[in-house]
Each structure stands twice: as C-alpha cells, then as structure tokens.
Amino acid sequence: MGIRGLMSFVEDHSNEFFTDLKLRDTKIIIDGYALFHRLCFNSNLELRYGGDYDSFTDVVQNFFESLFACNIHPYVVLDGGCDISDKKLTTLKDRAREKIQTAHSLSLGGGGCVCPLLIREVFIQVLIKLQVCFVQCFSEADRDIMTLANHWNCPVLSSDSDFCIFDLKTGFCPLNSFQWRNMNTIKGTQYYIPAKCFSLDAFCRHFNNMNKALLPLFAVLCGNDHINLPILETFLSKARLPLGATSSKGRRHHRVLRLLNWLSHFDNPTEALDNVLKYLPKKDRENVKELLCCSMEEYQQSQVKLQDFFQYGSYVCPDTLNLGLPEWVLVALTKGQLSPFISDALVLRRTFLHTQVENMQRPNAHRISQPIRQIIYGLLLNASPHLGNVSWNAVPPQPLAFSEVERINKNIKTSIIGAVELPKDHSDLSKLTELSLGRRQILLLETLKVKPTILEPIPTSLKLPVAVSCYWLQHTEAKAKLHHLQALLLGMLMGPLHAIINSPGKEDLQEDGAKVLYEEFQRVKEQTRLGTRLDLDTAHIFCQWQCCLQMGVYLNQLLSTPLPEPDLTRLYCGSLVHGLCQQLLASTSVENLLSVCPKAKQLYQHLFNATRSYAPAELFLPKVKSNSKKKRQKKQGTNWSKNRMGTTSHTGCWYEGSNRFGLLMVENLEEHTEACQLE
C-alpha cells in the first residue's frame, strides 16, 4: 500500500518523529517487496540491459551478512498475488502505465528505475542459499507483517508509509535510514546497525495528542492504494481544514497537515467519519461510509498467524479456506515455490505482464512466450469448483478465457487469451503432482518444442535455460542473430566460472584460466556500464528471451520441477551480454576469448551444439560482402575452411557481423552446407 505524501512528510520531521537505534541482537520482520526494490534501485546497479543479476545477488548477500554480523535474525515476508476482492486493480493499472513510461525513458538514455523481470525469483534464490527464513503470503502482506511483529515484539523494516499508521509495539524502521553498509561497534566487539525508528506516540503528540484510532481514517482520506474516491475531494474542498505549520513540500504536505490537524479535534473515528459524511450529498453517504470503513479495516490486526509457519512449517490463511485450492498449491505458494503470477491466474483469471526496457515500437516482449502461458492456463483451468464464485472483473464468461494486462505501444491493454485444453489426466490440478516425472517432463519439453536427447550433455542447472533458448530461437519474432545467441551462451558461463573460482582447493586458478576469463567478463561488463549506448533491437531480443525463461520457470515449477530449477543468480548479466554483443560485432572471436579456459570452452561448445539445431537456417547464412572486402580477404590469403574451434573436420562458414569470434566453425550442419558455400 502507501499513503500519498506521508513518508516524505514524516522524514521532514525526522527529529520529532524518529528515535535513533543501535540495532543488534533482535528479530526483525522485513517487508520483502520493499527490500528487493530498495536494494535494486539504491545500489548503483545497471538497469538498462535487463538486469545484472549477479551484482544484485552480491548486494543481497552483503545486506544479510551485515544483519548476521549484528546477531539480527531476519524474517522476510513477501507479498503474494492480487487481493481476491481486486480492490487495487485501478492502482495496479496506473503503476503499469507509469512503469511503461519509465522503461521508455531508460530505453532512450534517460533516468528512472524499473525492476528487471526476474528480480523476485533471484531474490528468493538468494534467501534460500543464505538460509534466511521467508514466507510468501497469499495476497498483500502488510497486515500480516504488523501482526507478526507485534506477536514477537520486534521492529519492522520497510519503506511503506502504511507502517506509520499501524500500531506497532516495537516500531517501524524505514529502509532509507537503515545504515547496513555502515556497521559500528560497541566497545570494539559488538556490531550494530545504525537505524531510525518511527514513534507513533511522538507523531500523535505532535498533533494535539491525537487518538491513534483516527489514523486509519486519515490514511483513507489522504488516499492510499486501496481507495481513491473522487467524491472525497468534495469533502476536502468544503471542509475548512486547518493548515497548521506551513510545509516546504507543497500541496501533498498541505493535504497531510490539514487532515491531521482537523482529525486531531475528534475523540474517535466514528465522530470524525460522521463529520466527513455531512459534507457529501445524502445519496452518496451510505455507500462512501461502507467503502471508507472497509478500507480502514486494512489497518487492523490480521487473523493470519505467520509465526505458525516459521515455527511449524505451515499456517492457515483465511482468504484461501473457501477457494478449495489443492493443498500442494497452497504449500508451494507459501514457500515461494510458485509465483504470485500463478495465484493471480488461478483465482482471478487475470495476469499482469510486466514491461521491461524494450523497444516500445515493437509488440511487447511477452508475446513470444504466450504459447507457454496458454499451457499454464490450461493446467489451472479446473482447479476448484469454488473459484466460480470469485468475481472476475476483466474476463468475459468464456470457459477457457484468461485476461492479460500487457503493454501496447506506450499504454496498457487487456487481452483475452484462450487456455490450451489438455488431456484429462493433466487437467486436474489436485492430481498434477501424481503424474510421473517422465510425463511431466514430456509436457514441459513438448511445450518448449525440445527433444530430451538434446539436453543430455548439458549440466543440470542449465538444462531448462538451454531448453528455453531453443524455444526462443524457433520463434521468428525474436529476430535473434548469431552474435545474440553466442553472447547469451557466453553469459551463461558466469555461474560455472564463479563456482570454480570460489570452490575450495582451487588455489592455482591461473592454470585452468577460470579467473582470467571471469575477470575479462567483468571488464566487458564494466566497460558496457560506463557508456555503451543501448541498442534497442538487441535489448528487445534479450527481453524476449527473459520472458521465455520466466514462463519456462513458472511452468517448470507448476509441474513440480521435472527439470532442475536453474540457478538464476548468475545466469544472465545484461551488461555483460550486451557488451559481448558489441565485441562480437567488432573484433573478438569466441575461440580467442575462451582459449584461456578449456573447461569454459568445452561447456560453451555443449551449449552451442544443443541450441544450434533449433536455430533458423538464416542465423547461419553469411552476409553479402562488398567486392573490396572480398578482395582484401583474398589478398590476405584467408583460409575460410580452417578449423578454429576444434579438431574435427567440418564445414567452415564466415559470419559477417560476428567476427568477434573470428571464425565460428559449425559442425555437422549438413543442411546448411550449401547455403554456407563461399564464392
């Protein structure tokens, strides 16, 4: 949620409303959504190229290591899907439009912050690696966070201004004053993190010792994510609200000040609400009263007991009791093993497809993965008869219809997508986990249009990314070129290289060259960050690949991982992959780049061999060269058939525009031999 103008207002009065803390030796409840956004946007990460997930991973690890050093025990609570009532739909659509404008600005070299597509999945994987306790709520988590914090008498860490309204026993620490990068010590031995804690008592004292119970009414009158009634402007314009002390922050702070000063004269919410309603037309009063009261309930204690999950591994969510969802689905959602995308599709028959930094003049990047989503929707079609009672705002009464909120140009639209009807044994969600591993794997690979034998030489953690890459290459809308594929596969080497470098017993790193290659990749990445202009077509192509990967991961999770869950933390680094694209178009050859590390070279060859058979023939066609280039090449006595990637005999093709690799020798592509003959 969030109350307009409140956070900046209380920060303007930091000395009055906040107390200094030396945080250590405590539990802390962390708003996961707020944290990963904060770490993504405030850590000098590159956001134009689709995500430097390795750098984000390092930042998240450093954050939690600071907490561990101070004996702070974090419990991360993540938002789930949209509320069943769908009361935030208007807000969500507004934010989707804003995100499109911000992504457009970034694509043109402007400023702004847009989360990379897989940031949430990467964040969860880091939590699992660090063994940080976390839970994913069924819908919005704010009330559950407040209830858990009060149960354990510990502070909340967030950036959401709603926590200034909740009556928290131990207080609320804003993320922007949580100095985890600047740990201090007490007597040189005990570490602590300097922080500020919001004092609700001090806040209410500032406004004539206001009754805390009035604050939820203030929140809904001021405007939050759940309510934005234009008719309330009638009240604000007619009521003579006292301004009190002037504010330097303009109209938003004037609104905050006037409302708080006005409300402070009432003893309780009922009296104040009656005074609000008298300024409204009589015909609207009952309806507005009901809406305001309903919204005010969002600031009361939750019935959810998250402590049960952290202590016993499960908890009861009242919102799900009447939905009749399979138990395994609820457990997987709680543990973050299924995405909120799945619960939105399951309960609301509607999903949001998040915009990336892509080419806004082309169809949105998610179009390429629509066939995968249609299979996902097919699996969710007959989840429970109780879901027929849920109000589906955006979907017409079509039995196979799901709606998708997607980008069209620089706006959003809601598209109706038909689910794929699957065989009966696949259409009962409650029994999906009972299908054999082989059956589930067949469904996954048939959706991705990949033969299982192709993946046999591929390391476990890369099987799904390679299968997804094969799917991506088969779709003509991707318009991928050879250097895009090569850069993408080279980028996939980052994870294995990092593992080699950081594994025990690898002191002589120079011998296998892993460190040398890893450092070269880091150099390319940094060079890209320092000023390479974004190639929009390349950006769009890699956005399409990420969309395929995202839906491939979601389908794999829904099928209970017939392929191993890939390690996303170092799978894709946008700055590196874009930088490699530039180098491959200039002078570098794959052979030269990988010559320092035979292990990486061998792995790359496996990845390339698996994907190339699914690539369209035109990916390997030579570009027409000018006569001057041909003469220069002939004069230099270039041997086009020389094998420079291996020792076996094969057809050699010159790939104009990809000579960063010099010569990329493609083995056993007999169907392309004629097309690749050089004059």
Side-chain angles (χ1 to χ4, degrees):
M1 292 191 283
I3 299 149
R4 294 165 199 153
L6 180 59
M7 186 58 78
S8 59
F9 171 74
V10 297
E11 287 174 347
D12 271 5
H13 297 77
S14 178
N15 293 334
E16 297 171 68
F17 301 151
F18 290 88
T19 56
D20 291 328
L21 285 185
K22 296 179 179 179
L23 209 62
R24 62 184 177 91
D25 303 325
T26 182
K27 291 177 179 176
I28 191 167
I29 313 302
I30 299 177
D31 178 347
Y33 179 87
L35 177 61
F36 73 69
H37 276 80
R38 175 79 185 180
L39 296 181
C40 181
F41 296 158
N42 294 81
S43 302
N44 194 32
L45 300 182
E46 177 57 67
L47 299 174
R48 292 177 298 162
Y49 300 107
D52 286 358
Y53 295 118
D54 57 335
S55 298
F56 175 72
T57 294
D58 293 338
V59 170
V60 177
Q61 288 178 340
N62 292 338
F63 174 85
F64 284 104
E65 284 167 5
S66 293
L67 268 57
F68 299 152
C70 300
N71 197 33
I72 298 171
H73 304 284
Y75 292 83
V76 177
V77 183
L78 289 157
D79 290 327
C82 297
D83 191 277
I84 295 172
S85 68
D86 224 8
K87 54 195 168 192
K88 283 184 66 172
L89 180 59
T90 300
T91 299
L92 292 172
K93 286 186 173 181
D94 288 343
R95 287 181 179 168
R97 292 186 187 95
E98 290 170 5
K99 188 174 181 180
I100 289 170
Q101 297 306 318
T102 306
H104 179 58
S105 172
L106 282 167
S107 73
L108 299 178
C113 294
V114 172
C115 264
L117 191 64
L118 300 171
I119 203 81
R120 181 191 178 97
E121 282 68 37
V122 171
F123 181 68
I124 288 175
Q125 287 193 352
V126 178
L127 295 181
I128 292 169
K129 286 182 180 181
L130 297 177
Q131 298 183 326
V132 174
C133 297
F134 76 96
V135 64
Q136 181 173 273
C137 295
F138 191 71
S139 55
E140 191 161 22
D142 289 4
R143 292 175 67 197
D144 300 341
I145 290 173
M146 179 262 287
T147 306
L148 179 62
N150 281 344
H151 178 79
W152 279 345
N153 287 315
C154 64
V156 168
L157 184 63
S158 179
S159 56
D160 191 333
S161 56
D162 280 308
F163 288 103
C164 295
I165 304 300
F166 290 124
D167 190 2
L168 291 161
K169 293 179 182 178
T170 318
F172 153 53
C173 297
L175 274 162
N176 59 2
S177 56
F178 189 75
Q179 301 179 52
W180 64 272
R181 290 184 171 95
N182 300 309
M183 287 188 298
N184 287 330
T185 59
I186 300 173
K187 299 178 181 178
T189 55
Q190 296 177 319
Y191 286 99
Y192 70 86
I193 293 175
K196 290 186 180 295
C197 185
F198 177 75
S199 169
L200 191 61
D201 290 332
F203 183 74
C204 288
R205 275 197 306 272
H206 183 82
F207 292 99
N208 195 31
N209 288 314
M210 175 191 285
N211 182 354
K212 293 178 184 177
L214 289 161
L215 291 176
L217 179 57
F218 157 73
V220 299
L221 290 176
C222 200
N224 63 17
D225 289 353
H226 284 164
I227 188 165
N228 184 21
L229 292 176
I231 198 168
L232 288 179
E233 296 300 323
T234 304
F235 153 71
L236 293 168
S237 63
K238 289 183 177 180
R240 294 181 178 179
L241 305 184
L243 176 58
T246 57
S247 167
S248 61
K249 290 291 183 178
R251 185 180 172 187
R252 274 194 174 182
H253 285 193
H254 284 186
R255 184 187 186 107
V256 168
L257 274 168
R258 285 189 165 113
L259 277 170
L260 288 168
N261 281 313
W262 183 76
L263 285 168
S264 69
H265 293 94
F266 298 102
D267 291 331
N268 57 66
T270 303
E271 181 187 355
L273 183 55
D274 288 341
N275 271 271
V276 170
L277 296 174
K278 75 180 185 182
Y279 290 99
L280 305 182
K282 287 184 179 180
K283 63 182 177 64
D284 296 319
R285 290 177 186 175
E286 206 54 43
N287 186 39
V288 171
K289 182 178 180 179
E290 184 180 345
L291 287 170
L292 290 176
C293 289
C294 181
S295 295
M296 287 164 63
E297 288 177 7
E298 295 297 325
Y299 295 95
Q300 304 306 313
Q301 289 268 116
S302 164
Q303 295 180 335
V304 170
K305 297 179 180 179
L306 289 182
Q307 64 269 21
D308 289 350
F309 174 79
F310 289 121
Q311 290 170 350
Y312 309 117
S314 64
Y315 78 101
V316 176
C317 177
D319 287 345
T320 65
L321 291 178
N322 297 323
L323 296 178
L325 297 176
E327 183 64 23
W328 77 265
V329 172
L330 294 175
V331 170
L333 285 168
T334 301
K335 294 182 177 180
Q337 295 166 351
L338 287 177
S339 165
F341 175 92
I342 298 296
S343 61
D344 283 348
L346 192 55
V347 176
L348 299 172
R349 291 262 186 116
R350 187 202 61 235
T351 57
F352 276 78
L353 306 179
H354 297 291
T355 301
Q356 304 171 77
V357 182
E358 55 192 79
N359 190 337
M360 300 295 166
Q361 295 180 340
R362 290 179 59 183
N364 81 76
H366 288 279
R367 290 288 178 89
I368 192 172
S369 57
Q370 182 178 305
I372 306 176
R373 294 196 300 279
Q374 289 178 289
I375 296 293
I376 292 174
Y377 299 153
L379 291 168
L380 301 177
L381 265 179
N382 303 308
S384 166
H386 301 282
L387 291 176
N389 300 322
V390 176
S391 173
W392 291 328
N393 292 336
V395 183
Q398 300 174 26
L400 302 181
F402 287 72
S403 66
E404 297 181 337
V405 181
E406 60 175 348
R407 177 186 68 79
I408 179 166
N409 299 320
K410 286 184 280 184
N411 208 334
I412 61 170
K413 66 169 287 190
T414 300
S415 301
I416 306 303
I417 304 298
V420 171
E421 284 195 84
L422 297 168
K424 285 187 177 180
D425 57 350
H426 291 76
S427 61
D428 186 347
L429 189 63
S430 64
K431 297 181 180 179
L432 190 58
T433 54
E434 298 173 15
L435 288 177
S436 68
L437 172 64
R439 296 279 297 282
R440 287 180 281 120
Q441 192 175 94
I442 287 171
L443 176 57
L444 175 66
L445 294 181
E446 283 185 349
T447 302
L448 298 177
K449 303 175 184 177
V450 175
K451 295 178 181 177
T453 52
I454 289 293
L455 302 178
E456 288 174 0
I458 305 300
T460 300
S461 66
L462 292 176
K463 287 184 185 293
L464 183 58
V466 166
V468 163
S469 300
C470 293
Y471 171 92
W472 169 69
L473 286 169
Q474 292 175 76
H475 285 75
T476 54
E477 60 260 53
K479 298 182 180 178
K481 303 293 190 296
L482 185 59
H483 64 282
H484 296 130
L485 173 62
Q486 293 166 329
L488 184 66
L489 299 181
L490 286 169
M492 290 184 190
L493 303 179
M494 279 288 276
L497 288 172
H498 185 268
I500 291 172
I501 292 169
N502 290 280
S503 61
K506 287 285 180 183
E507 291 81 8
D508 190 8
L509 296 173
Q510 293 296 117
E511 185 175 333
D512 60 19
K515 187 175 183 181
V516 175
L517 182 57
Y518 187 81
E519 288 175 349
E520 172 60 18
F521 281 169
Q522 292 293 346
R523 186 194 65 77
V524 172
K525 176 181 167 183
E526 190 58 30
Q527 190 177 37
T528 307
R529 278 175 52 90
L530 290 176
T532 302
R533 186 165 177 259
L534 181 67
D535 183 319
L536 266 184
D537 288 333
T538 294
H540 201 85
I541 287 166
F542 289 132
C543 284
Q544 290 172 316
W545 179 82
Q546 281 208 70
C547 292
C548 296
L549 180 62
Q550 181 190 44
M551 291 304 149
V553 167
Y554 290 173
L555 177 58
N556 191 50
Q557 291 174 339
L558 188 57
L559 293 170
S560 300
T561 58
L563 288 182
E565 182 96 349
D567 183 354
L568 302 173
T569 60
R570 300 184 191 278
L571 179 68
Y572 177 83
C573 172
S575 295
L576 172 64
V577 172
H578 278 255
L580 287 170
C581 274
Q582 293 296 318
Q583 288 194 3
L584 295 170
L585 286 170
S587 59
T588 304
S589 73
V590 170
E591 181 190 19
N592 290 340
L593 195 60
L594 299 181
S595 61
V596 297
C597 186
K599 286 184 179 178
K601 183 177 179 180
Q602 183 182 40
L603 175 55
Y604 171 85
Q605 197 65 56
H606 285 315
L607 300 178
F608 185 75
N609 287 343
T611 53
R612 69 184 181 188
S613 55
Y614 289 91
E618 54 266 28
L619 198 75
F620 302 99
L621 292 177
K623 273 193 174 182
V624 178
K625 292 181 286 293
S626 67
N627 289 332
S628 60
K629 282 187 178 180
K630 290 180 181 179
K631 289 177 181 177
R632 186 164 61 250
Q633 290 160 0
K634 187 174 182 180
K635 183 177 180 181
Q636 291 170 347
T638 307
N639 180 2
W640 308 117
S641 300
K642 186 178 179 182
N643 176 355
R644 300 179 65 181
M645 283 296 288
T647 56
T648 42
S649 174
H650 55 269
T651 301
C653 302
W654 173 259
Y655 303 109
E656 181 72 8
S658 293
N659 61 345
R660 269 185 139 172
F661 302 130
L663 295 176
L664 179 69
M665 309 318 285
V666 183
E667 301 175 10
N668 304 323
L669 283 177
E670 294 177 359
E671 64 270 32
H672 297 311
T673 300
E674 183 177 351
C676 292
Q677 292 295 323
L678 298 173
E679 299 176 4

